[in-house]
Amino acid sequence: MGHKTGTFGKIKAHLERNRLGELLVIRGRLSPLQLKTALSHQHEQKIPLGKILIQYGYVTRNDIASAIATQWAMRALAAVVTVMITASAFNVKDAHAKDAQSAATLAAAPIGSISSYPDLFGSAEKKSSDLSAFTKWGTMFARFDSQMKKPGSAEVLKKWKKDLETLRGLPLETMVHRVNAMANKVPYINDSKNWGKSDYWETPIEFFTRGGDCEDFAITKYASLRALGVPDNRMRIAIVKDTQKGIPHAILIVYTDNGPVVLDNQIKTVTAQTDIAHYKPIFSINRSSWWLHTPNRGTVMASR
């Protein structure tokens, strides 16, 4: 079945197309005429559509936030459909992905792996080792490996390595708290201001140089802990919906011996996952696999 002509392909194309204006029209928050007018002004003024819609009083900030959250969820579903198209994604054997060059360069003696995953925010999860749909994730690591070799990255890399060396050999929980505090000192800057794009996944070098948004904090914490020898299967970057703010958000989950903890740029200290009730997971990912989350309770065994 082809990507463009099959049923799954048509669904995927629809999900990926989910433009902000179309979603607002479908929801009845915006009329087609208002959208046409706003798009005309956007073309003239070269500013984001959402900002124009709010300026003209067509929609509220809450309308925009809700539509953006829907976009993220639909794009996650599009990724799922992509995996379905590639056939039997949830039954393939685990990929033995190589660690990033950064981890190979900095890694210490490994911390023990885990054999099972407690449920995450009360969700059931289904695992796939096919990461082909997550292009930003893969290209970010490719850029990172390339940047590691460039002279211009030397100073940032040297400081990062020096900071990590002070943590090497400490207990896992201590490293987690220190890495979280280290990364959370970096300024928060959204992608549109920082990169002129709505969504850009930074490498740690880019993050320490320019600041970043939620997924960039999570990526850098993930890479830092991998460099310190924390096994890949003890960590995931999770894309969640923040039900208090009505927006998507990215966090790092670390599975400690005392249960999963959350490393979050919105929360100052590392927090037990069970103490957070306002996040609903959409999907989670690490270097070897990704997981689709559904709102059913259960425990999923990790692959050995």
Side-chain angles (χ1 to χ4, degrees), residues 72 214-218 237-240 248-252 263-265:
W72 274 56
C214 59
E215 75 271 8
D216 307 318
F217 282 87
I237 291 176
I239 304 301
V240 300
H249 184 50
I251 56 177
L252 178 65
L263 285 69
D264 190 341
N265 67 292

Side-chain angles (χ1 to χ4, degrees), residues 14 38 137 155 186 199 220 259:
H14 170 72
W137 183 240
E155 285 302 313
V186 176
D199 188 29
T220 294

